[in-house]
């Protein structure tokens, strides 16, 4: 007989990704597996015992979904035994080079190198799509790359946009935050200088006519690596 995933995971672990997208009817069945340790195959008439550790993941707020009655509250509490909150990729910039190396290996291009300018652009992108967005970008890059070195001319426009200085087009009105505007402008020029200097911080500081110590302090202020 063909075994399902829970049968295969017996005395092991099963990973359920995007748990928030699970239909309500299926949530009820999953709750039964967790509470009773049994399930039935599709079309089956006998219960099958299973002992599996369940690891689930989601990028949504399950507690909020329970309040909106879009996710079962009882299932939420059974799954939320040991929660692990993973910060977004933009807050884990040190992980980006490691992930890039992993994806280069995954797509069979482990010999490809990312030059300093491109690595700075990739490291300082916002990555609203987190690791999946990064993987998609790396897959696109290695598909288009001819040589063994990735330079910024092959990076997608949305990545390069991050390192371009912001344009100033002030529209005065209520609620403007001048300090925030100036901070964004300063950050944009820091990134642009780094890209132009191919990641050499001494050279980037000279371009902005500030000391290396001041340049390094400003990078730290904005979390720029």
């Amino acid at each position: 007989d063909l075994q399902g995933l829970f049968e295969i995971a017996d005395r092991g672990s099963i990973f359920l990704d995007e748990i928030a997208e699970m239909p309500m009817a299926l949530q009820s069945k999953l709750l039964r597996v967790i509470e009773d340790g049994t399930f039935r195959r599709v079309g089956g008439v006998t219960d099958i015992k299973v002992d599996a550790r369940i690891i689930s993941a989601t990028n949504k707020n399950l507690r909020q979904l329970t309040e909106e009655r879009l996710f079962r509250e009882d299932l939420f509490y059974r799954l939320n035994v040991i929660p692990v909150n993973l910060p977004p990729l933009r807050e884990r910039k040190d992980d980006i080079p490691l992930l890039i190396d992993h994806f280069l290996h995954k797509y069979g291009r482990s010999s490809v190198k990312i030059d300093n300018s491109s690595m700075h652009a990739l490291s300082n992108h916002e990555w609203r799509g987190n690791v999946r967005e990064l993987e998609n970008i790396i897959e696109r890059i290695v598909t288009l790359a001819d040589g063994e070195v990735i330079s910024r001319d092959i990076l997608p426009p949305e990545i390069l946009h991050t390192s371009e200085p912001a344009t100033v087009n002030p529209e005065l009105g209520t609620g403007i935050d001048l300090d925030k505007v100036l901070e964004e402008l300063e950050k944009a020029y820091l990134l642009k200088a780094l890209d132009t200097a191919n990641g050499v911080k001494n050279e980037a500081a000279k371009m902005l006519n500030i000391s290396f110590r001041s340049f390094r302090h400003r990078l730290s202020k904005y979390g720029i690596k």
Side-chain angles (χ1 to χ4, degrees), residues 21 38 96 141 213:
E21 309 302 325
T38 63
I96 292 176
I141 288 173
R213 182 177 180 180

Side-chain angles (χ1 to χ4, degrees), residues 159-209:
I159 301 298
L160 296 175
H161 175 73
T162 308
S163 60
E164 292 296 326
T167 57
V168 180
N169 184 23
E171 294 183 5
L172 296 180
T174 59
I176 187 171
D177 189 336
L178 183 59
D179 288 337
K180 184 176 181 180
V181 172
L182 293 176
E183 286 180 355
E184 289 297 323
L185 190 60
E186 181 181 41
K187 180 180 178 181
Y189 272 98
L190 290 170
L191 291 170
K192 180 61 176 178
L194 276 172
D195 283 339
T196 304
N198 290 321
V200 181
K201 294 179 181 178
N202 274 321
E203 293 299 320
K206 291 177 182 178
M207 291 179 186
L208 297 174
N209 198 28

